[in-house]
Amino acid sequence: MRYVFKLENKISSFEFSRLEDLLVPLFSFSYHFSKSYHGNHVLYFSSKPKWRLFLYDKNTLIGSLSIVERKIHTPFQLSIAGIGNLGIKPSYQAKGLAMSMLEHAHHFAKKQGMNISLLFCIPEKSNLYVKTGYAKLERPVFYEDNSETKMELLSYAYPLSIDKKKFDQIVNRELNIGKGSW
């Protein structure tokens, strides 16, 4: 297996096509993903990722996740690695690859100076994130979308380079991540 991080704006049209082939079938259930893809031909919801992790088996793309970089100042200065669209080709699922991708993403994000990893999920996937060390946030995460305040109810955080006291504050309070979700 080969893990490759790329800046989102450096993804070639060939790589984008391979991402489409992987992600569109996996996320067709998602209203937000489908609306963004069919409306704007993008492979993310509302915030453009800064990086994308590609997982290859030889030359076959079998997995991907995106990382949105976000900085907030409340409750204190915090650099967030927003994890989105974690997807694994169905024939490769249930082999520990999603956990491995998250571990690679955590290591990468920490090297980039990020304090926490933050993601939003559907209930059926929450066990994966808990097994990887994510903590469920006790309160909603808010974001701005077209001048409206919206919220993510099922949110998980993972400490990258933050002390336990500050991480516990994050887990137990509402967060506003600014403009757009991921």
Side-chain angles (χ1 to χ4, degrees), residues 68-87:
V68 171
E69 182 178 36
R70 185 68 54 88
K71 296 187 186 311
I72 63 172
H73 303 286
T74 304
F76 38 80
Q77 283 196 310
L78 194 60
S79 181
I80 299 170
I83 304 292
N85 295 334
L86 170 57

Side-chain angles (χ1 to χ4, degrees), residues 133-149:
Y134 279 82
K136 183 180 182 298
L137 300 187
E138 299 301 322
R139 303 204 178 222
V141 172
F142 294 93
Y143 65 95
E144 305 304 317
D145 184 31
N146 295 327
S147 301
E148 288 183 57
T149 300

Side-chain angles (χ1 to χ4, degrees), residues 7 17 22 25 32 55 57 61 67 85 93 101 118 153-154 171 175:
L7 287 165
S17 176
L22 174 70
H32 294 297
L55 175 58
D57 182 6
L61 179 64
I67 303 173
N85 295 334
Q93 292 178 3
M101 287 183 71
L118 181 66
L153 295 173
L154 194 51
V171 170
L175 288 180

Side-chain angles (χ1 to χ4, degrees), residues 5-8 44 47-53 64-70 80-85 101-102 104-110 112 114 116-118 160 182:
F5 286 93
K6 275 200 112 158
L7 287 165
E8 184 77 8
Y44 53 87
S47 294
K48 184 177 181 175
K50 184 167 184 179
W51 299 280
R52 193 168 297 266
L53 171 57
S64 175
L65 67 74
S66 59
I67 303 173
V68 171
E69 182 178 36
R70 185 68 54 88
I80 299 170
I83 304 292
N85 295 334
M101 287 183 71
L102 286 167
H104 277 80
H106 296 159
H107 181 72
F108 177 83
K110 189 173 181 176
Q112 303 303 314
M114 310 260 183
I116 67 166
S117 171
L118 181 66
L160 298 170
W182 46 81

